[in-house]
Amino acid sequence: MDNDVYGHVNNVQYYSYFDTVINEYLIREGGLDIHAGPAIGLCAESRCEYHAALAFPSVVQAGLRVLKLGRSSVTYEIGLFDGDAAEAAATGTFVHVFVDRATRRPVAIPDPLRAALRRLET
């Protein structure tokens, strides 16, 4: 998103970056079908610490890893970087709980997604 009236990306946008990097990874690496798959991931918790401002037109780079992988939930850690900066502009956590698309009841993380998530475990 473009800069807000204070000249930087608004704080709420950082959460959108978190959601985007996680779902892009799950779609590309785990085969998540966001339109018709039987299981979907719902955000149960998210948190962000801001260390420096991001501003357009900088390119935002993201780092993603899995801190905890459970039966139906996963806790991610995300770092957002201003271009090639060595220090993160923001760090945060994001918890997905996988549920049945129709009933919204927790289900085991599907095997292809679990395999992709295991590759990101710390």
Side-chain angles (χ1 to χ4, degrees), residues 1-18 20 48-61 80-83 89-90:
M1 292 285 183
D2 290 344
N3 300 338
D4 65 13
V5 296
Y6 300 108
H8 59 77
V9 173
N10 189 276
N11 295 350
V12 71
Q13 186 60 35
Y14 291 61
Y15 287 94
S16 179
Y17 294 154
F18 290 174
T20 297
C48 184
E49 291 183 35
Y50 305 96
H51 310 292
L54 294 171
F56 181 82
S58 292
V59 174
V60 178
Q61 300 288 336
L80 299 178
F81 299 84
D82 187 349

Side-chain angles (χ1 to χ4, degrees), residues 14-92:
Y14 291 61
Y15 287 94
S16 179
Y17 294 154
F18 290 174
D19 189 65
T20 297
V21 71
I22 291 165
N23 281 293
E24 193 273 336
Y25 179 80
L26 294 177
I27 292 165
R28 184 172 34 90
E29 297 296 325
L32 178 65
D33 182 348
I34 60 171
H35 299 293
I40 59 173
L42 299 180
C43 179
E45 180 182 333
S46 60
R47 182 177 133 293
C48 184
E49 291 183 35
Y50 305 96
H51 310 292
L54 294 171
F56 181 82
S58 292
V59 174
V60 178
Q61 300 288 336
L64 177 65
R65 65 181 171 184
V66 168
L67 294 178
K68 182 179 177 188
L69 183 58
R71 186 189 80 78
S72 62
S73 67
V74 57
T75 303
Y76 307 93
E77 184 175 42
I78 306 101
L80 299 178
F81 299 84
D82 187 349
D84 293 330
E87 298 295 320
T91 54

